[in-house]
Amino acid sequence: MTKRYPIFGLANVLAQGAYFALLLLKPNFIPNEFITRFIAHILLPTNIGLARKFEGWNMGIISNALCTLWMNLTLLITPNQALHSVFHCLSFATWILHLLSFCYFFSFKLIPPSGQFRVGYKSLTHKGFTFCVFYPTSNPTSVRANFIGSDQAMDNLYESTTNTVNLPRAFFNLTFHFLRKIKIYASVGAPIISPDKLPFDTTNKKFVPVIFSHGLGTHRNAYSSFCCELASHGHVVFSIDHVEEVKKTLRDVPGGETRRKYLAKRVNEVRTLLDSLQKGELLTELFDTQVPLAFEKLIVMGHSYGGSTSLQIACEDKRVHDCVLLDPSMVAFKKEEELTRKLHCDMIMVESETWNTEEPRYEIRERNNLLFNSQNGSKKRAIYSIFKRSDHVTFTDLTLLLAPGMKLFTKKLAILGEVRDNMAYLVNLVSKYVELSIAKDNTEKTNQKCKELIKSLEKDTRLTNLRVLD
């Protein structure tokens, strides 16, 4: 079962249905009056409170609470009064809405990591910014990390959600509260494995560092499916919480001052983290043991604005070995001056199918093509493809959790039924590419692996416009 439904909400739907059944079957039977009052006065409000504590509230809480309210008001008024019938009709109507809400306000489960290790999780504030670390562990704790790790994460989500839709903050907090209760597949505070247990011999018993940069309006845990997958294969993934003016940046023109300002801030944060990691003391203090990193295999990756962050770092920092761009938003760059630069590292770029037409002013495909074509003659591998039947939001875990609402209220999600399959596919694709990147040593064995990967991509019907420079 890949869908998650609110258990307490379902319990209330059934209890509300039982309430109406009792009224219809034997409205004058005294024991039934006691039961209906118990349901309306005690059971339903208690379940609503328990839902907030253990599951969080989603959009269904509105119909749930209204139905409960009308039921209680109905029981407080004698049957011969006109308002009794009005409240009774309102309670039944909102019960139907609550029942229907289960068709729209579910969430998909996150993608579990497939590697041989469990995943540990730690977060740290360092030199003015916060980042988290996903890493392999063989001794997980019983405490799983929260999907929403800070109030800033909710602030970012609110800013991006209300960029085009006017939504009161109180309503947002009420209906998006369940996000605070979601747990990711990572154990807080678990010990990191010994480098002797790493499953590959191409890094001299060192962990491959991966830097993940999130999209505008999201947060450090919003791509946990990618981060946990890579950590489960023995890598150490760092995801930074970038703090910026989300609405102002979204509304800035392509190449505008705000976009470039926050891109520079993001790049500075990543490079500051890399400098600290390379010195070695930061991870030693965090894990109480030495954590050797294979900087010669350093990988940067990101989605949307995080993709442009990763690209800029790959252009500026010679330490980068490979770059993974997931539907990058490169509108902060000057096309002819900055997107024609040759990278000193390998690159893979995956573009969603619909974003180019949804946001024509961003010139997504034109800019992607310009970057890819400019790598011709660089003597580095570059792969570029379009992921069919996908949207820009396909690449983040937030879509797994908010997909039905996105489909119902926004134009950001075209196909609901393929959301989780698409995410699972992308996670697997990135994982395979990272393993290939790490193994690259110009030997016949690795070259053969590269050819096999490219052949499999060419045969994959979910990818189109596949182009390779090698």
Side-chain angles (χ1 to χ4, degrees):
M1 185 68 174
T2 60
K3 294 180 181 178
R4 179 188 287 110
Y5 292 92
I7 300 301
F8 288 101
L10 180 59
N12 266 18
V13 163
L14 297 175
Q16 289 159 358
Y19 168 93
F20 289 114
L22 289 170
L23 291 181
L24 290 172
L25 289 173
K26 293 183 180 179
N28 297 318
F29 187 39
I30 294 177
N32 279 5
E33 182 180 352
F34 170 78
I35 296 173
T36 54
R37 289 185 179 277
F38 171 78
I39 291 174
H41 296 335
I42 299 176
L43 182 60
L44 297 179
T46 300
N47 270 359
I48 289 175
L50 291 173
R52 177 173 175 79
K53 180 175 179 59
F54 295 106
E55 296 176 340
W57 290 338
N58 66 0
M59 195 75 72
I61 189 59
I62 298 174
S63 54
N64 188 351
L66 285 176
C67 180
T68 301
L69 173 64
W70 299 134
M71 283 182 174
N72 279 278
L73 290 175
T74 302
L75 292 174
L76 293 176
I77 299 174
T78 55
N80 59 349
Q81 291 181 303
L83 279 178
H84 183 274
S85 298
V86 173
F87 289 151
H88 185 70
C89 290
L90 286 173
S91 63
F92 186 75
T94 48
W95 175 65
I96 296 298
L97 289 176
H98 190 199
L99 192 62
L100 291 174
S101 73
F102 280 83
C103 299
Y104 298 101
F105 303 125
F106 61 87
S107 60
F108 290 103
K109 293 181 180 179
L110 300 177
I111 310 299
S114 65
Q116 69 182 81
F117 300 109
R118 302 289 290 277
V119 180
Y121 179 95
K122 291 191 178 187
S123 62
L124 180 69
T125 298
H126 175 72
K127 294 189 176 181
F129 59 89
T130 301
F131 69 93
C132 64
V133 190
F134 298 85
Y135 53 90
T137 182
S138 55
N139 188 22
T141 65
S142 59
V143 181
R144 286 173 58 183
N146 292 322
F147 178 75
I148 297 292
S150 66
D151 290 337
Q152 182 64 45
M154 291 299 282
D155 293 342
N156 285 356
L157 182 57
Y158 177 72
E159 289 290 307
S160 61
T161 302
T162 56
N163 180 50
T164 55
V165 179
N166 188 18
L167 192 66
R169 183 60 190 259
F171 180 83
F172 173 87
N173 290 341
L174 181 75
T175 56
F176 284 69
H177 181 256
F178 76 100
L179 292 176
R180 293 183 178 272
K181 302 297 182 179
I182 299 294
K183 303 291 184 180
I184 62 177
Y185 290 102
S187 299
V188 177
I192 193 168
I193 65 167
S194 166
D196 293 332
K197 295 182 179 180
L198 290 174
F200 30 77
D201 55 9
T202 57
T203 57
N204 296 321
K205 295 184 179 180
K206 295 180 181 180
F207 298 96
V208 173
V210 181
I211 306 292
F212 200 107
S213 181
H214 64 72
L216 187 63
T218 60
H219 55 93
R220 65 179 184 262
N221 290 348
Y223 300 83
S224 69
S225 291
F226 290 102
C227 297
C228 287
E229 174 67 16
L230 296 178
S232 75
H233 288 279
H235 314 309
V236 178
V237 185
F238 303 87
S239 182
I240 298 176
D241 246 344
H242 300 295
V243 180
E244 48 230 344
E245 298 172 282
V246 176
K247 273 188 186 178
K248 186 175 180 181
T249 307
L250 284 169
R251 295 174 179 178
D252 194 21
V253 297
E257 180 181 344
T258 303
R259 291 183 183 275
R260 295 180 66 82
K261 168 188 170 184
Y262 284 112
L263 176 61
K265 177 177 179 292
R266 282 167 164 249
V267 170
N268 180 65
E269 289 169 347
V270 174
R271 297 194 69 179
T272 299
L273 176 59
L274 289 176
D275 291 341
S276 298
L277 292 175
Q278 200 161 27
K279 291 177 182 177
E281 293 87 357
L282 182 62
L283 290 186
T284 301
E285 293 176 5
L286 187 62
F287 290 100
D288 293 324
T289 185
Q290 287 192 338
V291 183
L293 298 178
F295 260 89
E296 70 278 6
K297 301 289 187 179
L298 171 65
I299 297 171
V300 294
M301 67 175 65
H303 170 235
S304 193
Y305 202 35
S308 62
T309 306
S310 301
L311 175 61
Q312 184 65 14
I313 295 164
C315 291
E316 292 183 4
D317 201 314
K318 299 297 183 182
R319 290 174 291 190
V320 177
H321 170 70
D322 214 323
C323 184
V324 180
L325 308 178
L326 303 173
D327 212 12
S329 168
M330 296 190 283
V331 293
F333 295 113
K334 297 176 182 178
K335 287 195 293 185
E336 298 302 328
E337 297 175 30
E338 295 173 321
L339 290 180
T340 56
R341 295 173 291 184
K342 282 183 169 51
L343 297 176
H344 67 274
C345 63
D346 294 338
M347 175 194 78
I348 184 171
M349 179 165 51
V350 183
E351 177 189 325
S352 65
E353 185 176 40
T354 63
W355 199 31
N356 184 59
T357 53
E358 286 177 2
E359 294 286 358
R361 70 190 182 106
Y362 290 166
E363 305 171 322
I364 303 298
R365 196 151 299 166
E366 179 184 344
R367 290 172 180 264
N368 287 349
N369 276 313
L370 183 59
L371 171 65
F372 177 79
N373 292 334
S374 298
Q375 305 315 307
N376 194 20
S378 67
K379 297 182 180 180
K380 294 293 181 178
R381 180 176 62 239
I383 301 175
Y384 169 39
S385 186
I386 298 170
F387 187 23
K388 294 170 66 175
R389 298 172 67 79
S390 67
D391 304 286
H392 185 58
V393 295
T394 296
F395 297 73
T396 169
D397 287 346
L398 278 166
T399 304
L400 295 175
L401 304 177
L402 301 173
M406 286 183 175
K407 177 66 176 176
L408 188 63
F409 298 116
T410 75
K411 296 181 180 179
K412 295 181 178 180
L413 184 64
I415 303 169
L416 176 62
E418 299 178 22
V419 164
R420 196 172 188 276
D421 288 342
N422 282 347
M423 175 59 83
Y425 174 85
L426 287 168
V427 168
N428 183 56
L429 174 64
V430 168
S431 180
K432 285 183 177 179
Y433 181 80
V434 166
E435 297 311 309
L436 175 66
S437 173
I438 293 170
K440 184 178 180 183
D441 54 11
N442 294 322
T443 64
E444 183 59 34
K445 184 178 179 180
T446 1
N447 290 337
Q448 183 60 33
K449 283 185 178 180
C450 179
K451 291 176 183 177
E452 290 173 359
L453 175 63
I454 292 172
K455 283 183 179 180
S456 68
L457 296 180
E458 289 173 340
K459 295 177 181 179
D460 198 324
T461 57
R462 285 168 289 192
L463 297 177
T464 184
N465 194 38
L466 178 68
R467 300 161 65 190
V468 180
L469 293 174
D470 200 351

